[in-house]
Amino acid sequence: MAEPKPALVLHLATGGEPLLFALTQEDSGTLEEKLTDLVKEGTVTTVRTKDGSTVAINFAHVAAAYIDDLNRKSTVFGLHS
């Protein structure tokens, strides 16, 4: 089985293709615990990506956010076949 490749998936309220940010396993667990509150509160926060970059995200513009595994091929809003 392939090593997990966690990513933050953001679906913006304005539509379009989702934004994907590769994360470390550790950072994905920490962020996943906070995602519900970030979206509910429309908080601006920074996220560290797997390559060490820092991204500022305004969750007021996010309709749906979740952590997913990039190894999974057929993904639609977190549902896998």
Side-chain angles (χ1 to χ4, degrees):
M1 185 169 176
E3 184 176 325
K5 293 181 180 179
L8 171 62
V9 181
L10 301 175
H11 292 271
L12 300 180
T14 56
E17 292 295 315
L19 303 174
L20 296 131
F21 298 95
L23 305 172
T24 64
Q25 194 68 34
E26 180 182 335
D27 288 339
S28 69
T30 303
L31 181 59
E32 190 167 28
E33 294 173 3
K34 301 188 286 185
L35 271 183
T36 301
D37 290 334
L38 292 170
V39 174
K40 277 180 164 177
E41 297 167 6
T43 304
V44 176
T45 194
T46 57
V47 173
R48 187 178 59 192
T49 63
K50 187 173 183 175
D51 68 1
S53 299
T54 303
V55 179
I57 300 171
N58 184 346
F59 281 90
H61 300 284
V62 174
Y66 54 91
I67 304 296
D68 204 352
D69 186 346
L70 292 177
N71 288 322
R72 299 181 193 190
K73 298 289 183 209
S74 44
T75 303
V76 178
F77 286 99
L79 301 176
H80 309 284
S81 57

